[in-house]
Amino acid sequence: LSGICEARDKHSNKLYRLFCLIDRDAPTYGLALPSLVLLGGVVKPVRTEAPQSEYRRIDRYRKDYQETHRVAVGRDGAEWWPNLDADAS
């Protein structure tokens, strides 16, 4: 997951991970300032591995953002977010 930042937190026996990228060129694509772009997240029990399919999903969202620079601004993310699972590897 080259170029992706990961934020981690732990509550009780669960780990929460958010995957983001920093886009310093975001104003070129219509955002007001350089931006932290949230790609997705994973919740998993402590001492377990997240499924590789989750990492592939995050990577597909990274590639999609880098190609299109589309973002969900003021919209319902579930309704807006593209279904990239169709071309899952």
Side-chain angles (χ1 to χ4, degrees):
L1 297 175
S2 178
I4 295 177
C5 303
E6 181 180 352
R8 297 177 178 196
D9 201 3
K10 178 183 172 188
H11 293 278
S12 299
N13 289 322
K14 293 206 181 221
L15 295 175
Y16 298 85
R17 294 182 175 179
L18 294 178
F19 299 95
C20 310
L21 60 87
I22 298 169
D23 187 354
R24 290 178 180 86
D25 296 326
T28 305
Y29 307 109
L31 296 177
L33 298 167
S35 300
L36 181 67
V37 178
L38 176 63
L39 299 171
V42 174
V43 178
K44 65 183 204 70
V46 173
R47 294 193 238 317
T48 64
E49 291 185 19
Q52 288 300 310
S53 60
E54 291 296 323
Y55 294 112
R56 288 191 298 270
R57 178 179 58 86
I58 297 299
D59 196 43
R60 284 193 305 275
Y61 287 147
R62 176 186 58 84
K63 289 176 185 173
D64 180 72
Y65 177 75
Q66 290 174 331
E67 291 171 3
T68 66
H69 299 286
R70 62 179 150 199
V71 294
V73 178
R75 300 179 190 159
D76 177 7
E79 179 181 306
W80 172 84
W81 201 256
N83 181 3
L84 300 178
D85 292 329
D87 57 8
S89 48

